[in-house]
Amino acid sequence: RARSTMGTHETGIYVREFPKGDVRPLADTFSFVPEPNNLNTKFREFSSFPRMAINASHAVFRGQHSPVYTYMLPDGTETRAGTTGLYATLGNDLLRTGAAKLGAVPGFEFYSVPDRPAGTLLPFDVFPGGSAINDDGWIVFKGNWTEDKIGKTGIFARRLIDSPYGGFEQTAMLASSGMDIPNLPPSFAPITFDSTSPPSVAGDYAVFLGLDNELDPHYGGIYRVLIKGGQLEPLVEIGKVLPNNKTSELIRIGEGLSYDGRYLAFWAAWGTEFKTIRLNCPVDGNKDIRDYCNGVDPNSIYDPKTRQWYQLHEVPVEQGVVVMDTQTGIEWIVSSTDGDFNDFVYWTYSGHVPGDDSDETAEPPRWRGASFMAVSDGLVVFKARTATLNKKMEYVGIVDGLYAVDAPSQSMRSTLIETGMDGSLVDPSLAPGTMPVTGVGIERDGFRGKYLAVAVAMANEEAGWGGIYSTELQRDPTLSTDVSPRNRKR
């Protein structure tokens, strides 16, 4: 996903077969939304990262747009529908609609929320976060809908074929809010899921995070389920101790899961100690969201000395990155705040500003924390921060970086790239010493086989530079930590 920074606003989803292929758009603001679309509607925005299948040239992403379909209601009036959806490619550049806000339109019942009473058609409201796709063309996604004026959420799957509408197969429900959380003690009264998080998929299985309370969980965890339907299998649970590590009970689990079909990587926190950090309101990005944080949000506080608005958040002191072998159940804490880093969680202020009609079903603005990692065959690459907290509870002396650990062999941690490093080590087209690295990023599907793809930003006082870069990580006999130009590919 990329967007322009100068001139007219341009944004899109792009693909490149590296290293020989050209960059080409899968969809951008000049592209028509695929069928169903009888209004010649074009895309307007792409609000989540695209994700690819592990061993196939399939991709899926979320797109936003004006209504795509007009039809007549039973009373003879005309109406329009379909302002967001999930769109996929299956081995070519032809877009197919995998899921859409069209479930109430006659003839498109396969886009509706499943498992409803006969004759009841409920459309999805929105598809939060990133969806996932496997080698056979199954998309797995989080969907939100409203039923009896109550907002609900769940995890869904749909098999796509390379035909209009993605075929006619009905969407299937894998889990949902209101479903009983499995594996609780028999003496407990049923406790249901309140929240679910965007899933990962590999082979025939999907994994996702489901909790009884997103902000203060006491039950729930990470579950695996067959995408064709089946019982939820608990892999990691809130309130349990990691079975092969001497930690306290888990109190938090991150939603940014990375799963390759065997190994699962995730962020977790344990213990009872918390620390308070200060999160300053954003100074760039969407103006409406900035303005909302700067005084409209009742949780914001004004600092007259810095003339900044900010909010305070409590975060767990004991936290880290965990890798699990789902075949054996063995787990490794590959890095933690116990001597390694100060934090693994990164915060953004996002959501739907009241009064903005662009996406009325989105959640209101708030600070959302996320951790970033990707795993391949037990080798995990993760993002972490080294810093200190000052008296204002702000991080200072920040160094963010990407690091690699081979969990099964418990290898030494390798530093791949850190802020402050010379940008020419990543991009040989830059003159040495001219632009230090200012930011790094990795997505949950950014490491496949031996190929690692990351985002890197570089800047000096006069200019900025950056892009998506690829390299190879060799796990045997040792990890390659050579960042010289011959091993770094733009």
Side-chain angles (χ1 to χ4, degrees):
R1 182 181 68 164
R3 58 171 54 94
S4 63
T5 57
M6 299 180 66
T8 58
H9 172 73
E10 302 294 346
T11 183
I13 304 295
Y14 304 88
V15 64
R16 182 186 182 197
E17 184 180 356
F18 188 82
K20 60 184 179 181
D22 294 326
V23 174
R24 64 184 191 275
L26 288 181
D28 57 21
T29 53
F30 300 99
S31 304
F32 290 102
V33 178
E35 297 181 45
N37 181 1
N38 63 5
L39 291 172
N40 293 324
T41 301
K42 294 182 179 180
F43 286 106
R44 183 178 62 192
E45 186 57 82
F46 305 91
S47 48
S48 63
F49 286 98
R51 297 174 66 185
M52 296 184 68
I54 291 180
N55 298 303
S57 298
H58 304 335
V60 64
F61 57 88
R62 178 158 59 108
Q64 292 178 257
H65 39 75
S66 300
V68 295
Y69 207 80
T70 181
Y71 65 103
M72 304 301 293
L73 295 174
D75 63 5
T77 58
E78 181 182 5
T79 189
R80 298 185 174 198
T83 55
T84 186
L86 302 177
Y87 304 96
T89 62
L90 300 172
N92 52 49
D93 286 359
L94 294 175
L95 290 181
R96 305 302 183 190
T97 300
K101 197 175 177 180
L102 294 169
V105 180
F108 300 132
E109 294 83 359
F110 45 88
Y111 292 134
S112 65
V113 179
D115 301 340
R116 301 298 95 192
T120 302
L121 294 180
L122 283 177
F124 286 101
D125 293 329
V126 70
F127 308 97
S131 51
I133 189 167
N134 78 350
D135 299 339
D136 295 327
W138 283 86
I139 60 169
V140 185
F141 58 93
K142 175 179 177 177
N144 291 355
W145 74 99
T146 303
E147 189 171 354
D148 297 329
K149 298 182 180 180
I150 298 174
K152 298 190 176 184
T153 185
I155 304 298
F156 301 86
R158 182 170 181 249
R159 172 71 183 275
L160 305 186
I161 60 174
D162 196 14
S163 70
Y165 318 140
F168 299 98
E169 187 159 335
Q170 175 67 43
T171 302
M173 180 183 291
L174 303 181
S176 70
S177 55
M179 176 184 290
D180 289 349
I181 296 176
N183 205 39
L184 295 181
S187 60
F188 277 39
I191 298 173
T192 59
F193 289 117
D194 175 69
S195 70
T196 59
S197 297
S200 283
V201 64
D204 295 329
Y205 288 93
V207 295
F208 70 95
L209 177 69
L211 301 170
D212 67 322
N213 185 310
E214 181 181 7
L215 299 179
D216 185 22
H218 291 83
Y219 303 99
I222 301 173
Y223 301 88
R224 181 168 62 179
V225 61
L226 281 168
I227 56 176
K228 297 180 181 179
Q231 297 295 315
L232 301 185
E233 175 192 358
L235 298 177
V236 184
E237 295 175 277
I238 293 287
K240 301 290 182 67
V241 175
L242 294 177
N244 292 284
N245 294 279
K246 296 179 180 179
T247 63
S248 304
E249 294 179 353
L250 293 181
I251 59 171
R252 299 286 189 274
I253 301 173
E255 67 175 45
L257 314 175
S258 180
Y259 178 60
D260 67 0
R262 175 173 178 176
Y263 291 96
L264 170 70
F266 59 95
W267 172 88
W270 49 89
T272 59
E273 188 177 357
F274 284 77
K275 62 184 177 183
T276 302
I277 62 173
R278 170 171 164 165
L279 302 173
N280 292 315
C281 288
V283 296
D284 52 18
N286 184 284
K287 180 180 183 300
D288 291 337
I289 291 179
R290 297 200 318 264
D291 291 345
Y292 189 83
C293 188
N294 291 328
V296 180
D297 191 324
N299 296 312
S300 295
I301 304 168
Y302 184 68
D303 184 339
K305 292 184 178 179
T306 62
R307 297 182 179 180
Q308 284 184 311
W309 290 88
Y310 67 92
Q311 294 184 17
L312 298 177
H313 267 260
E314 285 192 337
V315 297
V317 171
E318 297 180 272
Q319 52 168 286
V321 176
V322 183
V323 173
M324 177 183 189
D325 183 342
T326 61
Q327 287 187 8
T328 65
I330 297 174
E331 294 167 319
W332 303 271
I333 299 177
V334 298
S335 188
S336 71
T337 49
D338 184 15
D340 290 342
F341 299 100
N342 298 101
D343 215 330
F344 298 87
V345 181
Y346 293 82
W347 297 86
T348 56
Y349 187 80
S350 62
H352 168 69
V353 176
D356 176 8
D357 61 359
S358 63
D359 190 356
E360 296 179 355
T361 59
E363 297 175 347
R366 62 179 174 86
W367 286 100
R368 291 169 168 84
S371 298
F372 302 96
M373 65 207 68
V375 69
S376 178
D377 196 24
L379 178 57
V380 63
V381 177
F382 59 91
K383 184 175 180 180
R385 168 168 290 180
T386 303
T388 56
L389 280 175
N390 63 15
K391 294 181 179 180
K392 292 183 179 180
M393 294 168 286
E394 296 174 301
Y395 278 124
V396 295
I398 295 173
V399 175
D400 290 328
L402 297 178
Y403 308 90
V405 175
D406 186 357
S409 68
Q410 301 183 60
S411 67
M412 294 288 292
R413 182 179 69 247
S414 297
T415 300
L416 302 181
I417 186 169
E418 291 181 327
T419 54
M421 289 176 59
D422 188 344
S424 67
L425 295 175
V426 180
D427 193 331
S429 66
L430 297 175
T434 58
M435 284 193 181
V437 173
T438 56
V440 296
I442 185 171
E443 290 300 316
R444 65 174 81 185
D445 292 346
F447 187 21
R448 294 284 170 78
K450 63 181 180 180
Y451 297 101
L452 173 69
V454 299
V456 183
M458 294 149 275
N460 55 29
E461 294 181 355
E462 299 178 351
W465 190 256
I468 298 171
Y469 299 85
S470 177
T471 190
E472 297 179 14
L473 284 188
Q474 303 290 346
R475 64 172 298 186
D476 186 26
T478 60
L479 282 174
S480 170
T481 57
D482 185 354
V483 292
S484 62
R486 68 177 183 276
N487 283 340
R488 288 281 164 176
K489 302 174 184 177
R490 183 181 173 189

